[in-house]
Amino acid sequence: MEDYVRIFDTTLRDGEQCPGAAMSEDEKVEIAQHLARMKVDIIEAGFPVSSPVQFKAVERIAREIEGPVICGLARALRPDLEAARDALKPAKQKRIHTFIASSPIHMKHKLGKSPAEVLEMARLAVKMARDFVTDVEFSPEDATRSEWEFLRELVEAVIEEGATTINIPDTVGYTTPQEYMDLFRFLKKEVKGADKVIFSAHCHNDLGLAVANSLATVLAGGRQIECTINGIGERAGNTAMEEVVMALKTRKDAFGVETKIDSTLITRGSHLVKTITGMVVQPNKAIVGANAFAHESGIHQDGVIKNRQTYEIMTPESVGLKSNRMVLGRHSGRAGFKDRVIRMGFDPKPEEIDNAYNRFLEIADKKKEVFDEDIAALFQAEISRSQVDEKYRLISFEQNTGSNQTPSSKISLQIKGEVKEGEAHGDGPVDSIFKAIGQVTGLSPLLSRLVISPVTEGTDAMAEASVTLEDGERRVVGKGDSTDIIEACAKAYINALNRL
């Protein structure tokens, strides 16, 4: 279909390779469920051979998620391909995505292989993958730094062996839109059998060109774009799915194509990934940043009031936002709160509504205004908490700190129904409260990452904290929220301990 671009989401595979973006099995399934609701065409669920945890997550997504094609990544090696085959068995629609490096620098220094050896490995890998599944994608890694004639030969060979999608990755974010477009046109023209396959783009954002490069391939006949929610990924990240989708939708006059994505679920998906991974979305981020539909300039405000199209090329509603912020406060009732949560795209359970509403009342007593972002944050946190057996629960805490004293914290926790208290000093208020929690629980896993970010603006803004803990080979991410930064950190740390 020449007017249709497939969206291949790799948030769960390439996105998770972003430093600190750890996801539990349940969290991966939760994201996959939302991707299915968004009508993503292909979900790259993971790299099955890389670890038993990855294998299990891919297998569970293959079993539980319906709608999209479920894809597993595999190097051009038999163990990788067999692991992908086994993990994908439950899926109704499945794809194996196999790859091997094709650039001179990668073949020489990473693989230690000659071009002829790489060509043969690629052939055998695709042939084996086709024995397992009918849908096979092949990627020549670091394609944009590869020799074009070798790429032509390589792509032609894997098409002969049955590859159905050819992905041309800009693995290190090196190319430019014109150069990438020219490469796609060259391959589509010169490769025998090019008319039988879908050509795909997979771009990294090292030079800030991932979205521009991906869109350029559409003009050159590419009909699949590989991307992640919020653009998360290794180094500077990947192509941002929300930006590609809205660019194709808003500028259909320029690109002449469509996607199947339900764009009204974009904001919900962005917040879900941000909350689960702890990767903060910059306020001026296109489409999903806090300021993406904000107008502060008097001239802009005047124009928008008269006609929204003066300064808005797309509507907030098109990405799942409301054009005007509905402010809730301490006098808002449970029914109004529930209605707001549902209209924001959540599907709440009765107990989640009850717990989140009680948290909302606590926040409303502390803040002048409670915005949609606050509600989304506290409700997502409540969902996260409901998925974990709460062995440890915060009852209360006290702190002493100042410029001329060592910070100290007293904390009271409920542990399996019994209240226990502890006290500790530390190098700062956050350190002291973490040590106090450790003193009470007797646990001291490695704290590898702490991220604190405001949900909205102002000194009374609610804060979200994300804590990554490591215990041996296990790594978990805990979340917490409060208008008090220290309390948010304590809740996040306790949530992580519960996950451990």
Side-chain angles (χ1 to χ4, degrees), residues 418-452:
E418 182 181 354
V419 176
K420 294 187 177 182
E421 297 181 344
E423 183 175 359
H425 292 80
D427 184 16
V430 173
D431 185 49
S432 71
I433 202 162
F434 284 179
K435 286 179 177 176
I437 294 170
Q439 195 266 330
V440 176
T441 62
L443 300 174
S444 55
L446 174 66
L447 172 64
S448 60
R449 194 163 187 265
L450 168 63
V451 176
I452 306 169

Side-chain angles (χ1 to χ4, degrees), residues 122-128 130 136 156-163:
R123 271 188 180 277
L124 291 174
V126 171
K127 184 177 181 180
M128 183 181 297
R130 273 305 301 259
V136 176
E156 206 166 88
V158 297
I159 291 176
E160 287 178 0
E161 297 297 342

